[in-house]
Each structure stands twice: as structure tokens, then as C-alpha cells.
Amino acid sequence: MRLATLPVLLSVAALLASCHIEKKKEPPVLNTIQLGQTAVSLTRVANHLEVPWDLEYDRKAHAILFSEIAGVIKRLDLGTNRVSPVARISEVYHQRTTGLLGMALYQPEQGPDYLFLSYTSKTGDSIYSNLLRYTYNNGKLEAPLRLLRIPGSTGHNGSRVLVAKDQKVYWATGDAASDTFAQDSTALNGKILRLNLDGSIPANNPIPNSYVYAWGFRNMQGLTQSESGAIYTSEHGDAIEDEINVIHPLQNYGWPQIEGKHDTEKEIAIAKRSPRTEPVRSWTPVIAPAGLAWYGSDAIPEWKNSLLLTTLKSQSLRILHLSANGQQITDEAILFANYLGRIRSVLVLPDGTVYFCTSNRDWNPQKGFPKPYDDGIYCLQKTTDTTAPVLRPQKPPALQERSGKALYESYCASCHKTDGKGLLNTFPSLAGSRMVNGDENKLLQVLLHGANGKASDGISYEASMPAFTFLKDEEIRVLTNYIRSNFGNASGNITLETVKNNR
């Protein structure tokens, strides 16, 4: 009797087991991107995330590890598109731009896997940027080791991490909103730092007994390496000159004495006295560059030997074509401008598939965002199905007319918003503002020389106002008059002479 029923029992067991095998549900194709001869599909493979900040590929599990800014690490299984928690880092301090930020997953052929994390912490009134190493064991974090702790701030913490081809750890640190750190080669802020895997100083670092590899940076938000070994960063400028830099040891990239290209008499004089390295690309108006990845696959030949750059202000994925030697950017194309919202990080898999994530539930949502499904992780891969709505890359827009409205949209709207209402406790509202409608000289002083962000109309704000001295007098005049005559304001026009007197 028992022998006769055994095959039946085994069949039932096999059937029940098959019911527990999770099958991947293919997401719908949102768009087809036409690139010359190649078509690429856009799908959303994860949604309802809480501000994902960095993406790393776990090649052993065929999964994506990602950090969420409030302190959580999760894993996206690329076989099933299922998201599961990995760890919560309790020490993380999250406020506005601080939190759990950059990561680097190191998986050698021999030896333990390591996950390097960069995050912000707070002790008493002091804020710190931390670099830690965890042993990564089958989806679990173990044996935390703090490699470095440096001064942090409520912003400008940088924090991308890279384990490079030379088996060294590179950490892109911000200037912690200080004007002194970036040019001080003995400080560790505003730098590219280079470490051994155990946190010690490499014997072949360019400055003996120092982590400092290169310096003169404001707030780097992207870090990647090409197949040839070239290291690239993306960096936030102040009100102008966002940058892409090629990193070389022992070079000074200028900040805060020089911003972007050496294109003013003062900057040229500084660079002549003390050599500084120019970016290979800069943007004014700024685009808020974020994650950066080098693309070297044949899967999408139109992108081979390019940098893929995500942006927050221009809300786009940019394809920056490189010269054969990788030292110049020869062309630029733009995808998804103002379509998916703020795009934070980008990852290229060994087979050429591209993943990127949005950042629409962060501290500075743009008009129309977040959507109900935000935040998400998206996939770009070669396809033969072209039935979805077609998108094509666009060229960078030509310089806009210098009307007050155009200047406001280029330089002011990302903070003060298109309706002029700002962001509570972060960016002041311009609508009905006593500052805007009051003494025109006080308003011009703020526009021309910036402000520390402490208070406006009796309300304290976290963010500082950059100086707009780079604008011409006539541009300041039309911009100021636009602000004073819109958003419910109805104040008199400011003359060109008044602008000149305040400069």
C-alpha cells in the first residue's frame, strides 16, 4: 500500500513545490527609445521606494543593492523583480540631503565580499561623514569597520564611493559647506581620498602618509571609472558651472577660488600663479548633476565609450560621448527631460543593461512630482519591440532669451518653484514677500551677494542663497523686476542705475 502511493505523493509534493517558485512578472514597456539603428526599451522594475540614492550590482545573486537615504539598504532580485530588506543602519542621520548615501560593492574572485558605505551621523551638535566597510555575506551585512570619520554638514557631504581597478577605495567628499576645507590639502573634505581596503593609507599615494589624492572640490555627486582606468566625477557648482572632471593625482580642481572653466580675469590670474585643472564639461545654467556611470558595452553601440549622467534640476539622463582617449567630452544627448522627475543614480551591468532610480520623494520635489508610484528603479535594454511610444534623445537646448521669465526659470525656479512659493523652511516664498516688495536695495544686495539663509520675512530657512554677480547688470534688472511684478507682487521697477550702485 505504501509503495503503491509513493509516486502519487511525490507528484503532489512536486506540484506543491512548483507553486512556491516565484516567476518573474515582466513589467510593461513604458517607452521605446530610438538611437540610430538601436531601439531600447524603458521599463519600471520597482516602485514605491523611499528616495533610493545609490545602486550597486551583486553579480553573485544577480541582484541590485540600493541605499535609501533614511538609512535602509534593500535588494532588488533581477530574476523576480522582488524587493527585500537587507539592513537598517541605525547610526544614519537624515535631514534634507544628509543620510545613507554612496555605496561600493567589492566582490573579488577570492576572499570575502565587502560593502563600503558612506553616510551622515550626528553626535550632539556635530555632524559627520562616515566611511564604513561591512563584510557582505549572502545578502547580510556583518563585521562593520569604520574606516574614516570626517566633518560633515547639513549639505555638501559628497559621498560617492568607488572600488577601482587598482583594488583601492576612492571616496568623493564634499566641502561640508566650508570655504576653507577644499583648498587645505591637510583636510579631508572637498577631496578625492584614496584608501586601502582595510582603511589604511596606500604606500603609493601622491602625498606621503595622506589619504588625499586630489582636491579643490565643492560637492561631488557622481564617481565612476572607465575600462582604461580613467576616473570621472560629477560636481554641483554654486549658482553656475556644474562640472564633469577627469581625476588625476595631485591636481587641484579650483574650488572655491575658481568655479568651472577658467573664464574670468580673476580665475585666469589664480590659475597662472598656482596651476588648477579645468573641468572637461561645465553647465550654466546649472543642471544639478548626480549619479555617473561609464558605458563600454557593445549592447547599445550608440552609447559605447560614454558617460551616463543623471540630473536632478534638469530631471534627465544625459549621454556624454567621450573622445577615444577619454579626456574630452565630444557630444551630449538628453533623455527624459522633465518626464520621470529627478534622477539620482545610474548603474551599468556587465551585459550592457542600464538601471537608474528617481529621487522624487526627497526634500526638493519638482512640479508634478512625486507620482503615486514614486520612487522607482527603471531599466533600459536593447529591444526589437517598437510598439511602445517612441522617445528620441534631444540635443542640449540653445541659450535662452535673457528675459526676466527665462532668467527666473533658469536660475531660480528649482528652489523658489515656478509659482514663487518656495519650499517650507528651506527656500523662502517670493509671493507677497516683504523682502521682495520692500527696500529695493536690500533685495539687490541679496541677489548680487547672496545670503546665509538664516531668516527672511522673520522666518528661518536652512538653505543659503548663492551670489548672482555673474549676471550682467541688465540681467539683474529684468530678473528683479520679473520677481517684483509676479507671484502676486506689484512693486515698482528697479532702474539699471540702482543695480550698478548696488554692485
Side-chain angles (χ1 to χ4, degrees):
M1 184 67 178
R2 291 178 181 172
L3 290 174
T5 58
L6 184 57
V8 176
L9 293 175
L10 290 175
S11 298
V12 171
L15 179 62
L16 290 173
S18 68
C19 293
H20 289 86
I21 297 174
E22 189 171 1
K23 293 183 179 180
K24 181 176 182 180
K25 184 179 179 180
E26 294 296 340
V29 176
L30 304 176
N31 291 98
T32 298
I33 295 90
Q34 191 63 51
L35 308 171
Q37 299 299 312
T38 306
V40 177
S41 64
L42 172 70
T43 56
R44 186 170 57 248
V45 296
N47 53 29
H48 303 295
L49 306 177
E50 294 295 329
V51 194
W53 212 94
D54 206 352
L55 309 173
E56 289 290 312
Y57 180 54
D58 179 351
R59 63 178 177 82
K60 295 182 180 179
H62 189 48
I64 292 176
L65 283 182
F66 62 94
S67 57
E68 291 184 329
I69 195 169
V72 175
I73 297 174
K74 294 180 179 177
R75 183 163 73 169
L76 169 65
D77 186 325
L78 296 178
T80 63
N81 287 342
R82 187 175 67 89
V83 173
S84 58
V86 172
R88 177 178 290 275
I89 311 300
S90 60
E91 192 185 26
V92 167
Y93 171 65
H94 171 50
Q95 182 185 9
R96 210 159 62 96
T97 65
T98 69
L100 175 56
L101 306 174
M103 305 191 304
L105 180 59
Y106 174 66
Q107 294 183 302
E109 294 299 330
Q110 301 291 331
D113 294 354
Y114 292 133
L115 182 65
F116 296 86
L117 298 182
S118 175
Y119 62 78
T120 324
S121 65
K122 187 176 183 181
T123 303
D125 293 331
S126 299
I127 298 174
Y128 301 97
S129 286
N130 304 269
L131 180 65
L132 276 82
R133 189 194 77 185
Y134 288 79
T135 300
Y136 181 69
N137 185 9
N138 194 27
K140 296 180 180 180
L141 300 189
E142 302 169 342
L145 175 65
R146 194 184 310 273
L147 305 184
L148 281 177
R149 187 175 82 162
I150 66 174
S153 181
T154 55
H156 295 208
N157 292 303
S159 80
R160 294 286 180 181
V161 189
L162 169 72
V163 180
K165 295 180 182 300
D166 60 4
Q167 313 280 298
K168 305 301 181 187
V169 181
Y170 291 76
W171 190 23
T173 66
D175 68 3
S178 167
D179 288 337
T180 61
F181 284 140
Q183 285 301 314
D184 180 356
S185 63
T186 67
L188 299 184
N189 290 84
K191 307 294 189 296
I192 294 289
L193 306 179
R194 184 172 182 261
L195 302 80
N196 289 319
L197 296 173
D198 63 2
S200 61
I201 298 173
N204 61 348
N205 267 12
I207 301 175
N209 300 313
S210 171
Y211 291 108
V212 174
Y213 188 77
W215 66 94
F217 303 102
R218 181 176 183 266
N219 191 25
M220 291 173 284
Q221 294 284 287
L223 179 64
T224 193
Q225 186 175 35
S226 71
E227 183 63 34
S228 68
I231 294 176
Y232 303 88
T233 64
S234 63
E235 182 176 0
H236 283 194
D238 194 4
I240 57 173
E241 301 264 34
D242 285 341
E243 300 180 5
I244 297 290
N245 285 293
V246 184
I247 302 302
H248 299 283
L250 213 60
Q251 293 197 8
N252 183 344
Y253 289 78
W255 176 261
Q257 298 167 341
I258 295 178
E259 187 169 12
K261 298 287 188 178
H262 304 172
D263 50 11
T264 69
E265 289 184 9
K266 181 180 178 181
E267 291 175 339
I268 292 170
I270 290 171
K272 187 174 292 187
R273 291 195 303 270
S274 174
R276 308 296 164 93
T277 302
E278 285 190 295
V280 294
R281 178 75 166 93
S282 66
W283 290 270
T284 300
V286 292
I287 61 173
L292 192 65
W294 181 77
Y295 194 90
S297 174
D298 291 320
I300 305 176
E302 290 87 348
W303 290 357
K304 189 166 185 179
N305 195 34
S306 294
L307 295 173
L308 306 184
L309 173 69
T310 65
T311 73
L312 302 171
K313 181 178 178 181
S314 64
Q315 304 178 74
S316 61
L317 177 69
R318 299 195 176 213
I319 298 88
L320 309 175
H321 296 274
L322 293 167
S323 59
N325 66 2
Q327 299 299 300
Q328 291 89 34
I329 291 173
T330 60
D331 195 18
E332 179 178 355
I334 301 173
L335 276 172
F336 312 129
N338 304 312
Y339 178 51
L340 301 173
R342 290 158 64 84
I343 305 180
R344 173 68 67 177
S345 192
V346 59
L347 171 70
V348 178
L349 266 56
D351 67 358
T353 305
V354 176
Y355 289 87
F356 63 89
C357 61
T358 58
S359 193
N360 291 321
R361 294 191 180 278
D362 65 8
W363 65 284
N364 191 20
Q366 298 302 298
K367 185 178 180 180
F369 295 95
K371 303 294 186 184
Y373 49 77
D374 276 323
D375 275 316
I377 295 177
Y378 293 80
C379 175
L380 292 168
Q381 58 186 336
K382 187 174 180 179
T383 184
T384 56
D385 183 358
T386 58
T387 58
V390 175
L391 298 176
R392 298 179 188 275
Q394 304 297 312
K395 289 293 183 182
L399 188 64
Q400 293 179 315
E401 59 171 318
R402 311 308 273 177
S403 66
K405 183 175 186 294
L407 288 164
Y408 181 84
E409 291 174 349
S410 293
Y411 296 106
C412 311
S414 64
C415 295
H416 296 288
K417 309 305 174 187
T418 55
D419 59 5
K421 293 183 179 179
L423 191 63
L424 183 65
N425 297 327
T426 302
F427 301 121
S429 172
L430 306 179
S433 165
R434 293 197 303 272
M435 169 67 75
V436 171
N437 294 287
D439 185 338
E440 58 190 32
N441 294 295
K442 289 183 178 179
L443 177 60
L444 285 170
Q445 285 297 307
V446 171
L447 270 169
L448 286 166
H449 305 297
N452 61 13
K454 296 300 182 185
S456 177
D457 292 347
I459 302 173
S460 295
Y461 291 92
E462 296 174 0
S464 297
M465 169 81 176
F468 282 78
T469 50
F470 62 90
L471 292 177
K472 298 175 182 177
D473 289 342
E474 175 61 16
E475 291 172 329
I476 290 287
R477 184 188 74 82
V478 297
L479 172 59
T480 307
N481 288 334
Y482 176 80
I483 293 170
R484 284 165 61 90
S485 60
N486 284 276
F487 318 123
N489 302 321
S491 297
N493 281 347
I494 292 175
T495 66
L496 189 60
E497 182 180 4
T498 303
V499 175
K500 291 180 177 179
N501 290 339
N502 276 276
R503 191 183 287 273

